[in-house]
Amino acid sequence: MINAIKFNVITVNTGTLPALEQYTIKIATTSVASLDPTTWQPANNTVYGPVDYNVTAGINTFTFSTPFFWNGTDNIIIEVCGGDPNNASAIYYTNNAL
């Protein structure tokens, strides 16, 4: 079972929008061995979010709301998205950690 994912943030981009809006992590298994730049590989299982997330320098751990079963052989796709298309300000971008 995969229960979390961690990202090591070297530097935090401090701008006017401190939070990553509606930060969401999805995960899925696939038989695809490499990603094609013209084909989208979906990840259907939302395991984190959507939440507004404030990034910190160092290790950022995202504990999954539901553990993900991996059989130990299939490839894994992890989709990380942010941005709230329904926000009233019509600003659809966020600051990203470096």
Side-chain angles (χ1 to χ4, degrees), residues 37-92:
T38 61
T39 305
W40 184 257
Q41 294 296 321
N44 304 358
N45 303 301
T46 300
V47 291
Y48 182 85
V51 298
D52 292 347
Y53 182 75
N54 289 307
V55 177
T56 59
I59 301 296
N60 287 251
T61 302
F62 301 93
T63 303
F64 295 168
S65 55
T66 304
F68 181 77
F69 173 75
W70 178 49
N71 64 11
T73 56
D74 288 343
N75 294 324
I76 297 174
I77 298 224
I78 297 175
E79 177 183 316
V80 179
C81 294
D84 182 5
N86 298 314
N87 69 26
S89 70
I91 297 173
Y92 303 117

